[in-house]
Amino acid sequence: MVKKSILCLVVILMVGLLAAGCADEAEVTRMEDLPEEIEEEMVGEEEVEGEPETEEDEPLHDNSRTNPADLNETFVVEKDDLIVGKVTYEVELIQTVSGQEAWEIVKEGNPLNEEPEEGKEYVLAKFRVKVLETEEDEPFNVNHAQFEAVSEGGVTYDDFISVSGVEPDLRGDLYEGAEKNGYTYFIVDKDDNPVAALNRGRSGEIWFDLRAGD
């Protein structure tokens, strides 16, 4: 009886793990690589006359840690999210601020925010996120924990930092059709050329150049 109970428990755990793995899937496409009529539909323009594209959308292959996206490169992510189900959203990096200017913004947001150590600096990255479609009428959560900074040498910046009061803040729950621009933040070495990853090591991974605005 005990052996049967243990066997049932193992089977349940394996099924749960398989379900979680299947749910965490995504396809990332650069906006400029989409068929023209699909891109125009997403930005709300009228459909251009002519024959539709017959080739299937190719997944994004050239975006990587060593080839990160620049400013104003829009990506469309089709993700099977474990919590909200299927969701399609746009994301692009629209601004970076670093050095003393970034620290002034952080300090103005809240004087209690921590000043960087010697040789370190804040980098504020402003992203635009728009939810195009959701499977259910559930909000898609955007938050700072989805972004990680990695040094030019390939080392992750693992120090925990908490910043409050910086506006506009990227954090939020977005329903279908909602769009938000906001900052997320990092502390990096002043002499580094770091990159930031959205969903690093998970489905929907995209890399961005944190020195793109310099």
Side-chain angles (χ1 to χ4, degrees), residues 82-117:
L82 184 61
I83 298 176
V84 302
K86 295 184 184 299
V87 59
T88 303
Y89 60 90
E90 291 178 359
V91 59
E92 67 173 313
L93 176 63
I94 58 178
Q95 182 190 21
T96 61
V97 183
S98 59
Q100 185 62 30
E101 183 180 358
W103 168 232
E104 292 298 331
I105 294 173
V106 171
K107 185 168 59 174
E108 182 179 353
N110 187 339
L112 297 180
N113 284 329
E114 183 179 355
E115 184 174 3
E117 298 176 358

Side-chain angles (χ1 to χ4, degrees), residues 30 60-69 195 205-208:
R30 200 186 305 271
L60 186 71
H61 294 298
D62 58 347
N63 178 269
S64 65
R65 180 179 65 83
T66 57
N67 187 33
V195 292
E205 178 183 272
I206 308 175
W207 294 85
F208 299 92

Side-chain angles (χ1 to χ4, degrees), residues 11 25 100 126 128 130-131 143 149 171 173 187 196 199 201:
V11 171
E25 298 177 353
Q100 185 62 30
K126 182 183 282 188
R128 179 187 70 86
K130 181 177 182 179
V131 176
N143 61 76
R171 287 178 296 188
D173 288 333
I187 291 182
N199 300 320

Side-chain angles (χ1 to χ4, degrees), residues 8 15 20 40 62 66 68 73 93 101 109 117 119 121 129-130 136 145 171 179:
C8 290
V15 170
E40 290 179 351
D62 58 347
T66 57
E73 290 189 42
L93 176 63
E101 183 180 358
E117 298 176 358
E121 66 177 357
V129 179
K130 181 177 182 179
E136 304 290 343
R171 287 178 296 188
E179 180 175 333

